[in-house]
Amino acid sequence: ECRHRVVSALSLAAVLVGPVGGCYLHGTDSGECVTLSSDLRDIFMPFCGPVVRYSACFPKTPDVSGDRNHPQGRWNNHTILRKDQWVQETVKRMISYRVGLERNASLQNAGKNEYGESMEIRPRFHKNPDCRQSYKNYFCWINFPRCDGQDESLMTCRSACENFFKACNYEQDLWRCGPSKYFNGYEPEAAKPYLRDFFPGQPFRELDPNRAVCTPSIEGAAPRVPPPLALMAICATFAIFLPRWW
């Protein structure tokens, strides 16, 4: 029943929006630009819908005909609803993991982090609803990027990235919202071997208050904060979604 509701509503969305070209999701042109009404957002995006209030690049279900092994076709779960569920599952799992580490008495007493290094785990997510909310918002925005008038997906706003680091009380030398040429640091890395990697959601673009040029470009969603004056190299590697120094 749920699948039929998804297909029916997607068909309705296609009628309302009309055919569009492919927009980019995670480096591939596997999406399509769709503007969902508030009612459809409630159905398809119960998790990210409240912060994805724009025409967004959503997963486009591939038109793969059925065969003997897959009579209903393949990749039918490549839908807005399924991706929203995946984002929700991932965000909740990562936050629960970090809170668990931050509350781990054994690690605290030993002065160790989760890798056994002599480095205390700083509380960032535990008892910090602003941090958890900003992490959720950022994760939603980079997975459902905004579309422009030409049905092209827009880069992430630098302010959205910096708002996350600020809300979670990261020292400014740990922020990774800078240029791609510095692996999202704000100046060249001093130490060798180089330890940085690209931060999820990059490349970033400055917010334009007069027009939508980046994701999310929502007034008041992530106010721009002053960039750091000086940044230091860090002894950490950024993994897929959370750096090891969290």
Side-chain angles (χ1 to χ4, degrees):
E1 179 182 354
C2 179
R3 184 179 66 183
H4 292 310
R5 290 177 62 194
V6 170
V7 173
S8 298
L10 280 176
S11 301
L12 174 61
V15 171
L16 294 176
V17 177
V20 295
C23 54
Y24 277 74
L25 290 171
H26 311 295
T28 64
D29 56 346
S30 59
E32 58 184 345
C33 293
V34 177
T35 302
L36 296 180
S37 67
S38 58
D39 291 338
L40 291 180
R41 279 202 306 269
D42 291 341
I43 296 173
F44 294 132
M45 305 180 70
F47 186 70
C48 286
V51 297
V52 180
R53 306 190 303 272
Y54 46 74
S55 176
C57 187
F58 293 119
K60 179 170 56 177
T61 303
D63 184 14
V64 180
S65 301
D67 54 27
R68 183 175 60 184
N69 297 321
H70 304 276
Q72 302 301 321
R74 287 175 287 175
W75 299 297
N76 288 331
N77 65 340
H78 194 239
T79 63
I80 301 173
L81 178 61
R82 183 65 192 96
K83 185 167 186 180
D84 185 74
Q85 292 171 340
W86 175 83
V87 171
Q88 179 179 19
E89 294 164 2
T90 304
V91 167
K92 290 188 174 182
R93 183 175 67 251
M94 295 309 298
I95 291 178
S96 177
Y97 172 68
R98 293 313 310 176
V99 170
L101 290 175
E102 293 171 7
R103 298 182 62 191
N104 189 307
S106 298
L107 292 176
Q108 292 175 3
N109 294 334
K112 303 284 187 179
N113 64 14
E114 66 269 35
Y115 302 101
E117 300 168 333
S118 297
M119 181 185 301
E120 292 185 356
I121 299 176
R122 298 193 178 184
R124 304 189 189 279
F125 287 78
H126 182 47
K127 294 184 179 180
N128 188 350
D130 289 341
C131 174
R132 296 194 296 271
Q133 183 65 45
S134 66
Y135 177 66
K136 169 196 171 180
N137 293 353
Y138 186 74
F139 211 95
C140 287
W141 290 331
I142 65 176
N143 278 282
F144 296 106
R146 183 170 187 147
C147 289
D148 63 11
Q150 288 71 47
D151 293 326
E152 298 288 344
S153 47
L154 297 175
M155 291 186 288
T156 310
C157 295
R158 191 183 315 280
S159 59
C161 175
E162 291 180 346
N163 185 68
F164 158 69
F165 282 99
K166 181 180 180 182
C168 295
N169 299 316
Y170 281 98
E171 298 80 357
Q172 289 187 336
D173 62 303
L174 298 180
W175 294 10
R176 290 296 174 263
C177 311
S180 299
K181 65 179 180 179
Y182 299 146
F183 285 96
N184 306 124
Y186 291 81
E187 61 181 22
E189 190 170 6
K192 291 185 179 180
Y194 299 125
L195 300 174
R196 294 176 187 165
D197 201 348
F198 291 121
F199 192 78
Q202 76 93 40
F204 303 106
R205 186 170 184 175
E206 296 293 345
L207 177 68
D208 186 336
N210 299 315
R211 60 193 182 101
V213 297
C214 57
T215 303
S217 288
I218 300 174
E219 184 177 358
R224 181 73 162 91
V225 292
L229 299 178
L231 298 173
M232 300 172 59
I234 62 171
C235 297
T237 301
F238 191 87
I240 299 297
F241 298 113
L242 290 174
R244 61 181 295 176
W245 30 265
W246 282 21

